[in-house]
Amino acid sequence: MSKRSVDAVFQGLYLLTDIRGMLRDTVPHHHLSVEQKKEAEKILGKLEKQVAILKEELLA
Amino acid sequence: MSKRSVDAVFQGLYLLTDIRGMLRDTVPHHHLSVEQKKEAEKILGKLEKQVAILKEELLA
Amino acid sequence: MNCGEGIDTRQIDELFINLDPIQAGGRLTTDAMKAVLAYGDGYSVCDHCTKPFRLDHISKPPLAEFHRDLASFLNMDVARLVPGARRGFQAVASALVKPGDPVLLTAYSHYTEFLSVEQSRGMAFEIPANDSHIITPDGAAARIEEVSKTTGKTPALMFIEQVDYQYGNQHPVSDLIKVAHQYDIPVLCNGAYTIGIMDVNGKELGADFLVGSGHKSMAAPAPSGVLATTSEWAETVFRTTGIKGDLTGRTFGVKEVEMMGCTLMGVTSVGMMASFPHVKRRVKEFDAQVQYVNRIVDALLTIEGTKVQSEYPRKHTLTRMNTTDSFDTVARTHKKKGFFLTSALRERGIAGILAGSTRVWKFNSYGITSEQADYIAESFIEIAEKEGLACSR
Amino acid sequence: MNCGEGIDTRQIDELFINLDPIQAGGRLTTDAMKAVLAYGDGYSVCDHCTKPFRLDHISKPPLAEFHRDLASFLNMDVARLVPGARRGFQAVASALVKPGDPVLLTAYSHYTEFLSVEQSRGMAFEIPANDSHIITPDGAAARIEEVSKTTGKTPALMFIEQVDYQYGNQHPVSDLIKVAHQYDIPVLCNGAYTIGIMDVNGKELGADFLVGSGHKSMAAPAPSGVLATTSEWAETVFRTTGIKGDLTGRTFGVKEVEMMGCTLMGVTSVGMMASFPHVKRRVKEFDAQVQYVNRIVDALLTIEGTKVQSEYPRKHTLTRMNTTDSFDTVARTHKKKGFFLTSALRERGIAGILAGSTRVWKFNSYGITSEQADYIAESFIEIAEKEGLACSR
């Protein structure tokens, strides 16, 4: 089994949920503060890593 | 408001859910068929696009 | 974008400030969202269910601990999860009210409280409100006396709302309970608009039963809720089954009759539980929320002809306005008619007020930030001024 | 990986073939997963609720249509969503059973059916099973005669399981209902293990009430379910409220007493609805599922000493095995004791059988593929052979 890909799917879902939470916090204009932007950058960076793991695990 | 980023978050969540469904269908070994691999590749490609949109929208 | 055939993706809370009267306190925390996606499957919390096979005994996920924490959070002895506050009312009424029994409710009791009485075949009697839309101890005492006399029975149960759904007013629960207890009437305090939003202390209130709503005020999916009680009443409302299979001799362990056994076996209980640490923190920050709603109401009151029908200054975020003499005068000639107001709000990213309302309408600003409060306040004034209404700011 | 403080992410269905007896049919479809994440918030389906303000009238998301489709899918006249099958039993018992009324159940009735009788203060009488663990029309007739004589009353209601939770056996529902109707006894058919998995035709069965479970067999989150009935009985079990606020004169519109008004106002109803198109298709493919379970049972039966306690060949995927004379003989000396079997299965990526079971245990293979069926069958034999049990393949 590929526990690594399962973990990556959940991590990915959770990271996107964090972005979703950020969008909710900033309705209606979604103006992110400098800090929020930093946070979003970090989250999206991590998300890219999970996508890379999934490619590695599933497409190999 | 950034409807585009909201859509991207949901699209991203849905695409990861499709991958999750694929992992569920193939327990316990997650051996994907050629077709499933193709499908997974398509999904992960779309997912990368959504992540790119989010970067564009949120980090600009 | 669909999530299933013909089901549009819901994005209200991602795109708008949502002032919906019943939705504001039930919006999920991000932790709850994560829990919901991990525990969506039916019976998802039952993986590690062992003897005695009951939801509140499951330790992984930590439901047993959550049940204990909930009771202590409410300062009550015992708590159970229920599929919505209404199912808590139903359980208590079913256990306490016999056919023909008089039951006291208030002029602002929710329809589900009435339904629970109707289902138990009790007789409903309302305690009136005073002119300020508050249920008073004197009113309660007078009604108890009257109902006891006319029916020849002491009421079997009294329902009171800590904050009611019509005005969002706070009622003197502790004093109301004292009155009821003088007549030995047990009291169910309906905390659907308070538990999970404000600090609620059951023992301090003197409540025999406290009922809260997960989806209304505890940032949880529907249907969910909590019924908490004292050790004394737990024996009645959480009594375990005594029925037996007459041929097989089967008995059914520690399952509780009024709970119908286990209640929330998946996404609902885990959603509530994931939000709970946040809920415990947010009840301490309710004062800020009250400031924000007052800022919005104050802005609305600068619009000539506008009245607030809820108690003022506001003590709760659920608020009832009357704009018959302000926004409704615009509606009479506006090409969008009564829809101009909610449509103008929507253009500004504000949703949740019943579409078409310009006379009496409610909003609930729970969960907003200080900036959002200012933005909402400013938006109302902007709309009013644009439509030529006089504003006194 | 946590989803909320102290709540571990659940990955059973991503990592294992899950044979859990109660979970197999409640596993979400991917559409339901998407719906669950879009509609997680409390009261999420109420955005467009307008007059007459009832869940089954909401057209966006298409709950009104879903209610109609559900009734037609079951070939019944009216259907309502309920928070679990148990709440369907409760509604029917509450509407039909008066204190002291005799009620018929079967030797395999679920505990929640008993609880519904207990809550209505009825008296429970079981219809016995025959030696093949089937409830028979003759047995039912004899019991009706006997109970009517001893209690002096015709039973107010009869519960029957289409497929029971103990053996997963199919009972002759249509014939049982014919018997009950000869005595004018209304019948509730419990389809918790059939509705959403097998084709169920209420009118063909002659059922007065059909109850299904969303989280057990309709790929839906918990708690969810369906109660369907005929036009005749709808007037009783879905009667609308008649209670009135005696001072305010308030009435409560079309809210249904036994439903406690609206039932599933969010993630649960939308989850059910998102899975529904898939459910409609999958009931047509049940034969394949029956083939797969028989393949697994056949493999198990090649292990010397193994018995199947359910009817055989299997007609349903829920199956009860007895391995006291096979796997349990290993357990007696194995260093992992009774846990060797479930542990060996787990190592092979198979989960869901009660940990430590080696005597009588149940599994439910619903939802697997042909390849997975072979893999499970092979795994059991492999484990048996590894532990030195004789296999006749």
Side-chain angles (χ1 to χ4, degrees), chain C residues 329-371:
Chain C
T329 63
V330 176
R332 283 170 219 160
T333 57
H334 200 285
K335 67 176 194 295
K336 289 186 181 170
K337 297 189 184 154
F339 291 89
F340 91 91
L341 176 60
T342 43
S343 155
L345 286 168
R346 219 176 160 85
E347 278 163 25
R348 286 165 177 79
I350 299 167
I353 293 167
L354 190 68
S357 312
T358 47
R359 294 173 198 169
V360 175
W361 47 275
K362 295 191 284 188
F363 74 94
N364 190 348
S365 58
Y366 188 76
I368 59 172
T369 62
S370 178
E371 292 69 32

Coordinates of all heavy atoms in Angstrom, one line a residue, chain C residues 329-371:
Chain C
T329 N -39.6 52.7 2.8 CA -40.1 53.8 2.0 C -39.5 53.8 0.6 O -40.1 54.2 -0.4 CB -39.9 55.1 2.7 OG1 -38.5 55.4 2.9 CG2 -40.5 55.1 4.1
V330 N -38.2 53.4 0.6 CA -37.5 53.3 -0.7 C -38.1 52.2 -1.6 O -38.4 52.4 -2.8 CB -36.0 53.1 -0.5 CG1 -35.3 52.9 -1.8 CG2 -35.4 54.2 0.4
A331 N -38.4 51.1 -0.9 CA -38.8 49.9 -1.6 C -40.1 50.2 -2.4 O -40.4 49.6 -3.5 CB -39.1 48.8 -0.6
R332 N -40.9 51.1 -1.8 CA -42.2 51.4 -2.5 C -42.1 51.9 -3.9 O -43.0 51.6 -4.7 CB -43.0 52.4 -1.6 CG -43.6 51.7 -0.4 CD -44.2 52.7 0.6 NE -43.9 52.2 2.0 CZ -44.0 53.0 3.1 NH1 -44.2 54.2 3.0 NH2 -43.7 52.4 4.3
T333 N -41.0 52.6 -4.2 CA -40.9 53.1 -5.5 C -39.7 52.6 -6.3 O -39.5 52.9 -7.5 CB -40.7 54.6 -5.5 OG1 -39.6 54.9 -4.6 CG2 -42.0 55.3 -4.9
H334 N -38.9 51.8 -5.6 CA -37.7 51.3 -6.3 C -38.0 50.2 -7.3 O -38.9 49.4 -7.2 CB -36.7 50.7 -5.2 CG -35.3 50.6 -5.6 ND1 -34.9 49.6 -6.5 CD2 -34.2 51.3 -5.3 CE1 -33.6 49.8 -6.7 NE2 -33.1 50.8 -6.0
K335 N -37.2 50.2 -8.4 CA -37.5 49.3 -9.5 C -37.3 47.8 -9.0 O -37.9 46.9 -9.5 CB -36.8 49.6 -10.8 CG -35.3 49.4 -10.8 CD -34.7 49.7 -12.2 CE -33.3 49.2 -12.3 NZ -32.3 50.0 -11.5
K336 N -36.4 47.6 -8.1 CA -36.2 46.3 -7.5 C -37.2 46.0 -6.4 O -37.0 45.0 -5.7 CB -34.8 46.1 -7.0 CG -33.7 46.1 -8.2 CD -32.3 45.8 -7.6 CE -31.3 45.7 -8.7 NZ -29.9 45.6 -8.2
K337 N -38.0 46.9 -6.1 CA -39.0 46.8 -4.9 C -38.2 46.4 -3.6 O -37.1 47.0 -3.4 CB -40.1 45.8 -5.3 CG -40.9 46.2 -6.4 CD -42.1 45.3 -6.7 CE -42.8 45.7 -7.9 NZ -43.6 44.6 -8.5
G338 N -38.8 45.5 -2.9 CA -38.2 45.2 -1.6 C -36.8 44.5 -1.7 O -36.1 44.4 -0.7
F339 N -36.5 44.1 -2.9 CA -35.2 43.4 -3.1 C -34.0 44.4 -3.2 O -32.9 43.9 -3.2 CB -35.3 42.5 -4.3 CG -36.2 41.3 -4.0 CD1 -37.6 41.5 -4.4 CD2 -35.8 40.2 -3.4 CE1 -38.5 40.4 -4.1 CE2 -36.7 39.1 -3.2 CZ -38.0 39.2 -3.5
F340 N -34.3 45.7 -3.3 CA -33.2 46.6 -3.5 C -32.2 46.5 -2.3 O -31.0 46.6 -2.6 CB -33.7 48.0 -3.6 CG -33.8 48.8 -2.3 CD1 -32.7 49.6 -1.9 CD2 -35.0 48.7 -1.5 CE1 -32.8 50.3 -0.7 CE2 -35.0 49.4 -0.3 CZ -34.0 50.2 0.1
L341 N -32.6 46.3 -1.1 CA -31.7 46.4 0.0 C -30.8 45.2 0.1 O -29.6 45.3 0.1 CB -32.5 46.5 1.4 CG -31.7 46.5 2.6 CD1 -30.7 47.6 2.7 CD2 -32.5 46.5 3.9
T342 N -31.4 44.0 0.0 CA -30.5 42.8 0.1 C -29.7 42.7 -1.2 O -28.5 42.2 -1.1 CB -31.4 41.5 0.3 OG1 -32.5 41.5 -0.6 CG2 -31.8 41.4 1.7
S343 N -30.2 43.2 -2.3 CA -29.4 43.2 -3.5 C -28.2 44.2 -3.4 O -27.1 43.9 -3.8 CB -30.3 43.6 -4.7 OG -29.7 44.1 -5.8
A344 N -28.5 45.4 -2.8 CA -27.4 46.3 -2.7 C -26.3 45.8 -1.7 O -25.1 46.0 -1.8 CB -27.9 47.7 -2.2
L345 N -26.8 45.1 -0.7 CA -25.9 44.5 0.3 C -25.0 43.5 -0.4 O -23.8 43.4 -0.2 CB -26.6 43.9 1.5 CG -27.2 44.9 2.5 CD1 -28.2 44.1 3.4 CD2 -26.1 45.6 3.3
R346 N -25.7 42.7 -1.2 CA -25.0 41.6 -1.9 C -23.9 42.1 -2.8 O -22.8 41.6 -2.9 CB -26.0 40.8 -2.7 CG -25.7 39.3 -2.7 CD -26.8 38.5 -3.4 NE -26.2 37.2 -3.7 CZ -26.1 36.1 -2.9 NH1 -26.6 36.2 -1.7 NH2 -25.5 35.0 -3.2
E347 N -24.2 43.2 -3.5 CA -23.2 43.9 -4.3 C -22.0 44.3 -3.5 O -20.9 44.4 -4.1 CB -23.8 45.1 -5.0 CG -24.6 44.9 -6.2 CD -25.5 46.1 -6.6 OE1 -25.1 47.2 -6.2 OE2 -26.6 45.8 -7.2
R348 N -22.2 44.5 -2.3 CA -21.1 44.9 -1.4 C -20.5 43.7 -0.6 O -19.7 43.9 0.3 CB -21.6 46.0 -0.4 CG -21.8 47.3 -1.0 CD -22.7 48.3 -0.1 NE -22.8 49.6 -0.8 CZ -23.6 49.9 -1.8 NH1 -24.4 49.0 -2.3 NH2 -23.7 51.1 -2.3
G349 N -21.0 42.5 -1.0 CA -20.4 41.3 -0.4 C -21.0 41.0 1.0 O -20.3 40.4 1.8
I350 N -22.2 41.4 1.2 CA -22.9 41.1 2.4 C -24.1 40.3 2.1 O -25.0 40.7 1.4 CB -23.2 42.4 3.2 CG1 -21.9 43.2 3.5 CG2 -24.0 42.1 4.5 CD1 -22.2 44.6 4.0
A351 N -24.3 39.1 2.8 CA -25.4 38.2 2.5 C -26.0 37.8 3.8 O -25.5 38.1 4.9 CB -24.9 37.0 1.7
G352 N -27.1 37.1 3.7 CA -27.7 36.4 4.9 C -29.0 37.0 5.4 O -29.7 36.4 6.2
I353 N -29.3 38.2 4.9 CA -30.6 38.8 5.3 C -31.7 38.3 4.4 O -31.4 38.2 3.1 CB -30.5 40.3 5.4 CG1 -29.6 40.7 6.5 CG2 -31.9 40.9 5.6 CD1 -29.2 42.1 6.5
L354 N -32.8 37.9 4.9 CA -33.9 37.3 4.0 C -34.2 38.2 2.8 O -34.5 39.4 3.0 CB -35.2 37.1 4.9 CG -36.3 36.3 4.2 CD1 -35.9 34.8 4.0 CD2 -37.6 36.4 5.0
A355 N -34.0 37.7 1.6 CA -34.1 38.4 0.4 C -35.5 39.1 0.4 O -36.5 38.5 0.6 CB -34.0 37.5 -0.8
G356 N -35.5 40.4 0.0 CA -36.7 41.2 -0.1 C -37.2 41.9 1.1 O -38.2 42.6 1.1
S357 N -36.5 41.7 2.3 CA -36.9 42.3 3.5 C -36.6 43.8 3.6 O -35.4 44.1 3.3 CB -36.2 41.6 4.7 OG -36.3 40.3 4.7
T358 N -37.6 44.6 3.9 CA -37.2 46.0 4.1 C -38.0 46.5 5.3 O -37.9 47.7 5.7 CB -37.6 46.9 2.9 OG1 -38.9 46.6 2.4 CG2 -36.6 46.7 1.8
R359 N -38.9 45.7 5.9 CA -39.6 46.1 7.0 C -39.0 45.6 8.3 O -38.1 46.2 8.9 CB -41.1 45.7 6.9 CG -41.8 46.4 5.7 CD -43.2 46.0 5.4 NE -43.5 46.4 4.1 CZ -44.6 46.0 3.4 NH1 -45.4 45.2 3.9 NH2 -44.8 46.4 2.2
V360 N -39.5 44.4 8.7 CA -38.9 43.8 9.9 C -38.0 42.7 9.5 O -38.4 41.8 8.8 CB -40.0 43.3 10.9 CG1 -39.4 42.6 12.1 CG2 -40.8 44.5 11.4
W361 N -36.7 42.8 9.9 CA -35.8 41.7 9.5 C -34.7 41.5 10.6 O -34.5 42.4 11.4 CB -35.1 42.1 8.2 CG -34.6 43.5 8.1 CD1 -35.3 44.6 7.7 CD2 -33.3 44.0 8.3 NE1 -34.5 45.7 7.7 CE2 -33.3 45.3 8.1 CE3 -32.1 43.3 8.7 CZ2 -32.1 46.1 8.3 CZ3 -31.0 44.1 8.9 CH2 -31.0 45.5 8.7
K362 N -34.1 40.4 10.5 CA -33.1 40.0 11.5 C -31.8 39.8 10.9 O -31.7 39.4 9.7 CB -33.6 38.7 12.2 CG -34.8 38.8 13.0 CD -35.1 37.6 13.9 CE -35.6 36.4 13.1 NZ -36.0 35.3 14.0
F363 N -30.8 40.0 11.6 CA -29.4 39.7 11.2 C -28.6 39.2 12.4 O -29.0 39.4 13.6 CB -28.7 40.8 10.5 CG -28.2 41.9 11.5 CD1 -26.9 41.9 12.0 CD2 -29.1 42.9 11.9 CE1 -26.5 42.9 12.9 CE2 -28.7 43.9 12.7 CZ -27.3 43.9 13.2
N364 N -27.6 38.4 12.1 CA -26.7 37.9 13.2 C -25.3 38.1 12.8 O -24.8 37.5 11.8 CB -27.0 36.4 13.4 CG -26.3 35.9 14.7 OD1 -25.5 36.6 15.3 ND2 -26.8 34.7 15.1
S365 N -24.6 39.0 13.4 CA -23.2 39.4 13.0 C -22.2 38.6 13.7 O -21.0 38.9 13.6 CB -23.0 40.9 13.3 OG -23.2 41.1 14.7
Y366 N -22.6 37.5 14.4 CA -21.6 36.7 15.1 C -20.4 36.2 14.2 O -20.6 35.8 13.1 CB -22.3 35.4 15.8 CG -21.3 34.8 16.7 CD1 -21.0 35.3 17.9 CD2 -20.5 33.7 16.3 CE1 -20.0 34.8 18.7 CE2 -19.5 33.1 17.1 CZ -19.3 33.7 18.3 OH -18.3 33.2 19.1
G367 N -19.2 36.4 14.8 CA -18.1 35.9 14.1 C -17.3 36.9 13.2 O -16.3 36.5 12.6
I368 N -17.8 38.1 13.1 CA -17.1 39.1 12.3 C -15.9 39.7 13.0 O -15.7 39.6 14.2 CB -18.0 40.2 11.8 CG1 -18.7 40.9 13.0 CG2 -19.1 39.6 10.9 CD1 -19.5 42.2 12.6
T369 N -15.1 40.4 12.2 CA -14.0 41.1 12.8 C -14.4 42.6 13.0 O -15.4 43.0 12.5 CB -12.7 41.1 11.9 OG1 -13.1 41.7 10.6 CG2 -12.3 39.7 11.6
S370 N -13.5 43.3 13.7 CA -13.8 44.8 13.9 C -13.9 45.5 12.5 O -14.8 46.3 12.3 CB -12.7 45.3 14.7 OG -12.8 46.7 14.9
E371 N -13.0 45.1 11.6 CA -13.0 45.8 10.3 C -14.3 45.5 9.5 O -14.9 46.3 8.9 CB -11.8 45.3 9.4 CG -10.4 45.7 9.9 CD -10.0 45.1 11.2 OE1 -10.4 43.9 11.5 OE2 -9.3 45.7 12.0

